[in-house]
Amino acid sequence: MALHSLSTPIEYLKGVGPQRADVLKKEISVFTYQDLINYYPFRYVDRTRFYKVRELSPELPMVQVLGRVLTKEIIGEKQSKRLVAKLRDETGVIELVWFQGIRWVDKMLHPNAVYVVFGKPNEFNGKISISHPELELFNPESNKLGNLTLQPVYNSTEKLKQFSLDTKGIQRIQANVLDAVIYEVEETLPAYLLDQYKLITKPQALKFIHFPPDSSALQAAVKRLKFEELFFIQLKLLKNKLLRTQKFKGLVFDKVGDKFNTFYKEKLPFDLTGAQKRVLKEIRTDTQRGIQMNRLLQGDVGSGKTIVALMCMLLAIDNGCQACIMAPTEILAQQHYNSIRGLVSDGFVSIALLTGSTLKKERKVIHEQLADGTLKILVGTHALIEDTVQFANLGLAVVDEQHRFGVEQRAKLWKKNTTPPHVLVMTATPIPRTLSMTLYGDLDVSVIDELPAGRKPIKTIHLFESQRLRMFGFMRQEIALGRQVYIVYPLIKESEKLDLLYLEAGIETISQEFPLPDFRISIVHGKLKPAEKDFEMQRFIKGETQIMVATTVIEVGVNVPNASVMIIENAERFGLSQLHQLRGRVGRGAEQSYCILMSGNKLSKEAKVRLETMVKTNDGFAISEIDLQLRGPGDMEGTRQSGVLDLKLADLTQDQNILQEARNEVIRIFEEDPDLALDKNLLLKRFFSRKDRGISLHNIS
Ligand code: ADP
Ligand code: MG
């Protein structure tokens, strides 16, 4: 018989064979012994704890109950034939029900005997029952000695179950595979790390994750495997960063010159916040080192990222370079252009806007002035990365809302100069620290965690449909004060038709409540042509209309300081970060601003948490943490395509400490041994040379 190894096809495993192998492959992608070992339980049932009958509820997972079987009887005919037994403990009685294998159960189930019953509680007609429980005659001795007190539960499927691969079945073949090849599993972490972090070995961890002798062994296994998982992600990310810094020189911005200083002294209309100053310093330091900067700038809506970006651009100009800022949409690009023009005139530095709708004639002039270096700042959409756009000496590229651009698009920016420009990417949505360490772990991160002084926090209230008149009254009041109001409707693709109906009904009501000529309304939704959309937006921006009714097409970055009320209809249907983004459209002027969340009366638990969170806090970072807890990393805004987040065991909401430890350790290792050349790091070096896990050399983050 052939020797078993980790790469042996799964059909050769004892207890598997060709048929089961087939379902294992199709259903859960288990092809080899190794794959099976890596198929961990998704939870464990604590078999040391007995639930009392009174405690049972359908919300509970699999539980075990200790009780005496009182009676058993077979009732019903044909399809509905079943065996029902009553089980009692000192707190009450439940029913145990079998629809299959009735004869066999009838034979082995003895009234009056005490059993350990194991299964999932259900509720039917107000009565608690357990269908098809596992049964064991209670034996105080054997239970104390305990076989497995923590019963692993594996994800199974209907198909797998048909082949007896339910959780018990999977457990059986796990035992076989560990027996066959556990001695082949190699350690992946250097010995000194195991020592330092008190981690158990890999083979031990795998054994314990499948067959934990007790809860401390399980904890040790989980910690070890989580550490390994997060450690190697960080190793990959930081190695990438290292390679990048070794490979690419950076332009040296060694002086703070005339433009920067003059702007700072004469043009800056307010004092910078402490956080803005700190970030500027970080960028200053970064751009003097002769290494290309790759920095993520995080800051809540309204925290003042634009001005920081502008001042960095001035720094680039002072050092003989050009700068550009790229935004994902025309409207955003236009707004950046306007706000930068508001801060520095064309006479101070030359600025141009380049988008898809820039006229050919203007485009030609822009191209020429970029090429000869007279144009210093280019603001635009992805039109500015087209091949025809050539800079004389691009020194800094700012990317706003970088998650909306693909890698190739950002790569094109890099190629706009022979020495790649420094890159500053900005996110409009704060992301939790753990997430940014994982998603953007190979970038340097700057955070603006302070709002400009004197900002009045937006007041948020939640109203139910029945309180709609209050909302209208409030709108009238604010409009009478000369303010403007947004009303936003959800637009979710799956139910686009329904959404449009809502929107249309909403528009009708609003038009009746706020009739011409006293009130004027802008309407913006996805069905409009870009030119119409733009026209409507512009009317609102210029203050010609007081109310803007819109679907979520209104852009994240749109800035209308006079708008003081944001009304979000069907707010229960929005995600937290979206709600926060929308709220960020107001509170941009000196006036007190408000956000009104309208919802139906029936709310899911999660929706309730979302709305309560919005009412409670304005802090985007706090909100992002809650969002992460509610949705998990895979569904967060802007993270959808990231493979980095396919974590097997680690959980970014719970494992912050392990993540931080792993990251710090990797940083330390690369400081000491950047090429992983030391003997003690041999395993780490090997990680990169293994074909299946080797890094692909993406330089672009
Ligand atoms: P965001 O970070 O959302 O892009 P912006 O850069 O658009 O924020 O800034 C929001 C508003 O705050 C702008 O009107 C800007 O001029 C103003 N602002 C930025 N920094 C300060 C500051 N330090 N003091 C006062 N106002 C500021
Ligand atoms: Mg902005």
Side-chain angles (χ1 to χ4, degrees):
M1 202 187 110
L3 214 56
H4 296 280
S5 79
L6 287 168
S7 56
T8 303
I10 196 68
E11 47 264 48
Y12 297 110
L13 183 65
K14 190 173 132 203
V16 179
Q19 280 190 327
R20 284 183 176 168
D22 209 44
V23 269
L24 283 169
K25 289 174 198 173
K26 286 205 182 104
E27 295 288 296
I28 52 175
S29 301
V30 166
F31 291 87
T32 63
Y33 284 20
Q34 168 109 56
D35 294 339
L36 182 61
I37 293 180
N38 288 341
Y39 193 71
Y40 303 152
F42 75 101
R43 61 182 166 81
Y44 300 82
V45 181
D46 184 356
R47 303 214 61 167
T48 55
R49 168 157 172 17
F50 290 108
Y51 278 77
K52 296 292 172 207
V53 163
R54 203 178 41 213
E55 294 175 286
L56 299 183
S57 80
E59 281 87 48
L60 286 173
M62 307 274 270
V63 296
Q64 65 179 357
V65 184
L66 182 67
R68 191 177 296 279
V69 170
L70 298 177
T71 57
K72 62 173 181 185
E73 63 179 320
I74 297 172
I75 52 178
E77 297 275 324
K78 291 187 180 149
Q79 305 291 45
S80 67
K81 188 170 165 185
R82 59 197 186 274
L83 189 151
V84 178
K86 290 198 192 312
L87 182 89
R88 193 190 66 175
D89 71 1
E90 70 274 22
T91 66
V93 177
I94 53 166
E95 285 188 349
L96 311 176
V97 187
W98 286 265
F99 298 94
Q100 277 149 26
I102 292 176
R103 217 166 345 127
W104 182 74
V105 177
D106 193 24
K107 223 157 86 187
M108 51 78 69
L109 188 68
H110 307 294
N112 259 325
V114 176
Y115 285 90
V116 177
V117 172
F118 181 69
K120 164 108 187 64
N122 301 309
E123 188 171 335
F124 190 69
N125 282 342
K127 274 198 272 186
I128 297 286
S129 65
I130 299 181
S131 304
H132 289 267
E134 286 174 30
L135 279 183
E136 231 174 79
L137 263 176
F138 178 60
N139 175 345
E141 278 318 299
S142 85
N143 209 282
K144 254 185 221 128
L145 295 171
N147 309 336
L148 263 194
T149 49
L150 287 166
Q151 197 81 43
V153 183
Y154 294 92
N155 262 322
S156 183
T157 65
E158 280 312 311
K159 250 289 159 42
L160 283 167
K161 282 178 192 161
Q162 283 170 22
F163 288 81
S164 306
L165 291 170
D166 55 0
T167 180
K168 269 264 153 84
I170 294 175
Q171 198 189 342
R172 240 173 273 137
I173 58 173
Q174 289 289 6
N176 294 344
V177 79
L178 290 178
D179 270 353
V181 292
I182 191 71
Y183 61 86
E184 270 219 25
V185 172
E186 287 176 28
E187 183 50 64
T188 54
L189 292 169
Y192 70 93
L193 286 182
L194 297 187
D195 251 20
Q196 191 178 333
Y197 293 98
K198 302 202 169 47
L199 301 173
I200 62 176
T201 66
K202 177 100 185 213
Q204 240 173 354
L206 289 176
K207 222 193 269 169
F208 289 167
I209 196 107
H210 291 292
F211 296 96
D214 55 43
S215 69
S216 66
L218 177 61
Q219 271 172 21
V222 168
K223 160 130 204 237
R224 144 80 214 210
L225 294 171
K226 281 181 173 176
F227 184 91
E228 175 181 347
E229 185 169 38
L230 295 170
F231 177 85
F232 282 106
I233 291 174
Q234 291 301 321
L235 194 72
K236 224 188 238 187
L237 286 166
L238 291 167
K239 172 84 175 177
N240 242 347
K241 181 175 171 188
L242 199 68
L243 288 175
R244 200 172 59 216
T245 54
Q246 286 168 348
K247 187 165 167 182
F248 298 105
K249 287 217 175 52
L251 300 156
V252 180
F253 294 175
D254 55 1
K255 55 175 178 283
V256 177
D258 179 46
K259 294 297 176 201
F260 189 97
N261 282 327
T262 310
F263 178 80
Y264 191 72
K265 285 188 204 122
E266 292 168 20
K267 299 196 182 286
L268 189 62
F270 37 68
D271 291 333
L272 293 177
T273 62
Q276 285 171 319
K277 282 185 197 160
R278 189 189 66 235
V279 169
L280 274 173
K281 231 182 248 159
E282 286 165 357
I283 294 169
R284 255 293 277 142
T285 315
D286 227 12
T287 50
Q288 295 177 71
R289 297 184 306 159
I291 292 170
Q292 187 220 18
M293 173 179 82
N294 246 287
R295 187 167 281 276
L296 170 72
L297 177 55
Q298 277 208 69
D300 210 344
V301 266
S303 61
K305 295 184 287 289
T306 315
I307 200 106
V308 170
L310 172 62
M311 291 177 75
C312 294
M313 293 197 269
L314 295 177
L315 190 66
I317 295 166
D318 278 342
N319 287 275
C321 293
Q322 296 161 299
C324 69
I325 177 165
M326 179 164 78
T329 67
E330 284 218 33
I331 290 176
L332 274 177
Q334 178 81 49
Q335 291 235 349
H336 275 308
Y337 179 71
N338 292 345
S339 61
I340 291 173
R341 282 295 300 274
L343 290 159
V344 290
S345 65
D346 221 357
F348 185 67
V349 281
S350 49
I351 312 169
L353 175 68
L354 181 68
T355 68
S357 53
T358 306
L359 298 177
K360 221 173 171 183
K361 220 169 56 192
E362 293 170 48
R363 198 178 276 260
K364 192 158 165 279
V365 177
I366 291 174
H367 285 177
E368 281 167 13
Q369 293 183 342
L370 276 179
D372 69 18
T374 44
L375 182 58
K376 296 300 182 194
I377 295 180
L378 182 62
V379 183
T381 55
H382 38 260
L384 65 72
I385 48 173
E386 281 166 19
D387 293 334
T388 47
V389 182
Q390 295 292 334
F391 293 81
N393 188 16
L394 180 64
L396 172 71
V398 181
V399 184
D400 198 14
E401 291 197 55
Q402 66 102 30
H403 66 269
R404 291 174 64 175
F405 293 100
V407 176
E408 305 82 42
Q409 289 173 314
R410 279 176 277 140
K412 278 191 168 175
L413 267 183
W414 284 51
K415 294 188 185 137
K416 290 290 176 197
N417 200 344
T418 38
T419 303
H422 295 299
V423 177
L424 182 67
V425 300
M426 309 200 289
T427 59
T429 327
I431 40 182
R433 240 169 51 83
T434 51
L435 202 55
S436 76
M437 269 198 272
T438 321
L439 271 179
Y440 304 112
D442 55 344
L443 302 185
D444 292 301
V445 179
S446 288
V447 179
I448 304 185
D449 48 8
E450 183 186 353
L451 290 183
R455 243 349 123 67
K456 291 197 186 82
I458 300 163
K459 289 190 179 147
T460 302
I461 52 170
H462 170 205
L463 295 180
F464 291 100
E465 193 48 46
S466 50
Q467 297 165 294
R468 184 165 287 277
L469 288 182
R470 257 180 80 188
M471 167 195 131
F472 288 142
F474 186 72
M475 281 175 67
R476 278 195 199 90
Q477 201 179 308
E478 284 289 301
I479 291 171
L481 291 169
R483 314 268 149 61
Q484 289 164 283
V485 179
Y486 293 100
I487 305 178
V488 179
Y489 286 82
L491 189 67
I492 299 166
K493 285 220 170 61
E494 299 93 73
S495 58
E496 209 162 342
K497 269 203 185 122
L498 193 65
D499 286 330
L500 279 175
L501 280 180
Y502 273 127
L503 179 70
E504 273 162 23
I507 291 169
E508 186 149 335
T509 317
I510 297 293
S511 318
Q512 280 165 9
E513 289 288 327
F514 298 91
L516 286 165
D518 292 345
F519 300 98
R520 286 168 315 273
I521 305 175
S522 283
I523 297 170
V524 180
H525 57 79
K527 287 271 183 286
L528 294 181
K529 295 200 183 85
E532 297 171 307
K533 201 161 100 184
D534 196 49
F535 176 76
E536 289 289 308
M537 296 273 250
Q538 291 303 338
R539 289 208 307 153
F540 188 71
I541 291 169
K542 287 181 201 145
E544 293 166 10
T545 56
Q546 300 112 325
I547 301 172
M548 154 108 84
V549 180
T551 53
T552 39
V553 293
I554 65 161
E555 299 292 345
V556 241
V558 168
N559 190 20
V560 183
N562 189 50
S564 66
V565 184
M566 167 62 67
I567 295 168
I568 305 177
E569 295 280 359
N570 296 111
E572 71 272 29
R573 289 176 55 193
F574 288 88
L576 254 183
S577 81
Q578 219 179 355
L579 289 172
H580 181 62
Q581 280 294 329
L582 287 170
R583 177 168 61 183
R585 299 308 96 225
V586 297
R588 305 194 144 226
E591 310 306 333
Q592 175 64 55
S593 289
Y594 304 88
C595 175
I596 302 179
L597 306 169
M598 297 298 299
S599 85
N601 291 324
K602 265 208 164 152
L603 295 177
S604 70
K605 254 192 216 158
E606 247 198 66
K608 235 182 241 163
V609 175
R610 288 197 297 266
L611 299 181
E612 280 165 9
T613 303
M614 287 295 294
V615 171
K616 215 163 44 196
T617 180
N618 275 304
D619 178 347
F621 282 95
I623 289 173
S624 75
E625 294 285 351
I626 294 173
D627 202 22
L628 179 62
Q629 279 165 26
L630 287 179
R631 298 208 280 179
D635 284 333
M636 301 272 297
E637 206 87 344
T639 64
R640 258 161 280 245
Q641 296 111 4
S642 179
V644 180
L645 295 169
D646 292 335
L647 297 172
K648 267 180 84 66
L649 266 187
D651 175 340
L652 293 181
T653 57
Q654 279 165 29
D655 300 323
Q656 293 194 22
N657 293 340
I658 304 180
L659 173 57
Q660 189 68 61
E661 246 173 27
R663 184 169 172 87
N664 291 347
E665 188 54 43
V666 172
I667 291 171
R668 207 200 48 70
I669 290 171
F670 279 130
E671 267 166 16
E672 183 190 48
D673 184 16
D675 299 321
L676 303 177
L678 296 178
D679 270 356
K680 63 175 184 179
N681 289 328
L682 191 67
L683 282 178
L684 304 182
K685 194 176 182 82
R686 205 182 287 164
F687 169 76
F688 288 106
S689 51
R690 259 186 249 162
K691 261 190 257 84
D692 54 339
R693 314 162 90 170
I695 56 163
S696 48
L697 230 172
H698 287 309
N699 294 306
I700 319 299
S701 303

